Amino acid sequence: MAKTLAVSPLAPATFPELPAIGGVEFASVEAGVRYAGRTDVMLARLAPGTAMAGVFTRSATRSAAVLDCQEKIAFQSAEGAAIIVNSGNSNAFTGRNGVESVKAVTNAVAQTLSLPESRIFSSSTGVIGEPLKHDRITAKLSELNDKLSPDGIEDAARAIMTTDTFAKGASATLMFEGQEVRIAGIAKGSGMIAPDMATMLVYIFTDAAIDREHLQQMVSALNEKTFNCITVDSDTSTSDTLLVAATGASGVRVTDHSVGFMEALRGVMLDLAHQVVRDGEGATKFVTISVTGASSDNDAKTHGLAIANSPLVKTAIAGEDPNWGRIVMAIGKSGAPADRDTLSIWFGDTLVAEKGWVSPSYREEDGAAHMKNQEITIHVDLGLGGGTAHVWTCDLTHGYISINADYRS
């Protein structure tokens, strides 16, 4: 039986009401991949002609499922497609067994749904290094097929959870050339979060009609400003996968110049990325780190991530200690250009440090007051150029240790 974790204090009040996406059906079941008493496999069936795009972890030890998806993602076809996901076992670092398990699952899904195996995309999340009992998944495919429904997305979001304390969903509806276009997505992620090209497991669906090449360009660009700007614990997963499916069911053709659609997709991706941070293992604070005045945008992001990933910064936030010296430390170690005498730091609206020293107007009680909030903002200006970045993270509490010290038990 899976352990029940207390819901994050940063969680939204309820799962959002997501619109049905034409051309997509969902189903989920309890397969007992690792735990009893909870759903742990989800299936999404996609209409013929669906365009698929994705980004994946750059981990050198990425899972067999990731490698399989990477081989397939650029393939274009008028056939339908499907996504099959299990939680409880990541099927990573499992050698030839891992490859065979992926093939067993994708072939069985292809036969069940009468689709080409090249159009079956699989993901696995959970414990690393243990063989996947894929027969428990394939034994449930008939049941999954029978349960497919346009309204099953919330159950699908719950089936892919591991140490998540709440299911994550986001959506957008926009008018495009006088017609309605819908976007809906789900994600899982709570720990082992420091994306490097993709993040956790994320599945986004739209009824827009988009050429695969244009969709891929959008997803890759937006990923850099959303999922690749979050971190919980600085650890990049072996299984990070983001898949976006455009079914074309609305009949509305979107191009790479469709700014409105791209902004709506960005909003869904950023919402899901923020939810992952809000569900960071043991998190009690949601932290926005804003960096300006860097030599370049890349340098700004480097500084932002150095602050966000520092255990000393994160534990100070958990303890509600306005220890601005740790911000200075993180900037100094990042490797990106910085100058002590041009650096300024704010906690919320309070100027803390400037010109190489504590600000004359700073009062410790003002910084401490901001640290008591659930939502913390740290702003840094390097005073070197026009580079900017936003990074999102959470605090580091004893809860993170408790969750991960007995994760496999």
Side-chain angles (χ1 to χ4, degrees):
M1 179 72 180
K3 295 178 181 178
T4 300
L5 300 173
V7 176
S8 168
L10 306 173
T14 60
F15 188 84
E17 185 175 342
L18 303 184
I21 304 297
V24 188
E25 297 174 296
F26 301 92
S28 56
V29 296
E30 178 185 337
V33 173
R34 182 174 183 84
Y35 305 118
R38 53 154 290 182
T39 56
D40 56 0
V41 177
M42 85 88 165
L43 175 68
R45 180 168 63 186
L46 306 165
T50 295
M52 297 293 300
V55 286
F56 307 90
T57 180
R58 287 194 180 104
S59 169
T61 54
R62 54 195 181 275
S63 72
V66 169
L67 293 170
D68 187 61
C69 283
Q70 287 180 301
E71 288 182 4
K72 295 173 177 177
I73 197 65
F75 178 69
Q76 301 192 51
S77 172
E79 299 276 3
I83 300 169
I84 181 85
V85 186
N86 75 269
S87 60
N89 184 310
S90 72
N91 195 25
F93 208 68
T94 48
R96 186 178 64 185
N97 288 333
V99 175
E100 292 174 350
S101 289
V102 169
K103 289 299 180 185
V105 170
T106 56
N107 282 329
V109 172
Q111 292 177 18
T112 300
L113 301 183
S114 299
L115 293 171
E117 192 274 337
S118 60
R119 293 280 281 172
I120 311 300
F121 300 87
S122 72
S123 301
S124 297
T125 181
V127 173
I128 294 171
E130 295 183 6
L132 176 65
K133 297 173 181 177
H134 59 261
D135 56 312
R136 298 187 179 183
I137 300 171
T138 56
K140 293 289 185 175
L141 291 178
S142 178
E143 181 181 347
L144 283 164
N145 187 33
D146 291 342
K147 294 175 68 174
L148 284 165
S149 165
D151 303 319
I153 191 168
E154 180 176 352
D155 289 339
R158 298 189 185 284
I160 64 176
M161 293 166 53
T162 51
T163 59
D164 305 59
T165 68
F166 64 90
K168 301 165 184 67
S171 68
T173 300
L174 67 152
M175 297 303 295
F176 191 82
E177 297 182 351
Q179 295 178 271
E180 189 174 82
V181 174
R182 296 176 172 184
I183 305 170
I186 58 175
K188 68 80 52 183
S190 186
M192 202 181 288
I193 305 298
D196 184 10
M197 188 171 181
T199 185
M200 299 65 66
L201 298 183
V202 183
Y203 308 98
I204 299 174
F205 309 90
T206 178
D207 56 10
I210 314 175
D211 292 340
R212 204 213 77 82
E213 182 180 356
H214 294 156
L215 183 62
Q216 184 64 63
Q217 290 170 355
M218 287 184 190
V219 172
S220 296
L222 293 174
N223 177 66
E224 286 302 317
K225 297 293 186 180
T226 56
F227 293 116
N228 264 8
C229 288
I230 66 171
T231 178
V232 168
D233 50 18
S234 81
D235 286 332
T236 296
S237 171
T238 59
S239 306
D240 293 348
T241 297
L242 162 61
L243 294 175
V244 180
T247 68
S250 69
V252 178
R253 173 63 58 179
V254 170
T255 71
D256 56 342
H257 301 297
S258 304
V259 176
F261 177 84
M262 194 164 181
E263 179 59 21
L265 180 58
R266 185 197 72 84
V268 170
M269 292 171 69
L270 188 59
D271 190 339
L272 291 171
H274 283 184
Q275 288 186 56
V276 169
V277 172
R278 291 180 181 278
D279 203 15
E281 290 172 341
T284 65
K285 310 278 189 182
F286 178 82
V287 186
T288 299
I289 298 169
S290 168
V291 181
T292 57
S295 298
S296 67
D297 288 351
N298 285 338
D299 285 348
K301 185 175 179 181
T302 297
H303 284 301
L305 287 172
I307 297 166
N309 283 325
S310 166
L312 289 176
V313 171
K314 292 161 75 73
T315 50
I317 294 170
E320 301 181 344
D321 178 9
N323 191 338
W324 56 273
R326 294 183 178 181
I327 308 297
V328 175
M329 173 279 300
I331 292 167
K333 74 166 186 176
S334 77
D339 186 329
R340 178 198 64 190
D341 295 332
T342 63
L343 177 65
S344 299
I345 300 170
W346 287 260
F347 290 154
D349 295 328
T350 301
L351 178 62
V352 176
E354 59 179 338
K355 300 177 182 177
W357 192 247
V358 64
S359 172
S361 64
Y362 177 63
R363 298 188 309 157
E364 182 82 359
E365 54 264 37
D366 293 337
H370 183 68
M371 288 296 164
K372 293 184 182 301
N373 297 328
Q374 271 196 339
E375 309 236 349
I376 305 294
T377 300
I378 297 171
H379 176 61
V380 172
D381 188 90
L382 278 298
L384 299 177
T388 65
H390 282 88
V391 172
W392 295 274
T393 190
C394 57
D395 55 343
L396 180 60
T397 70
H398 195 279
Y400 181 87
I401 299 171
S402 298
I403 291 167
N404 284 285
D406 63 357
Y407 175 63
R408 293 198 303 166
S409 59

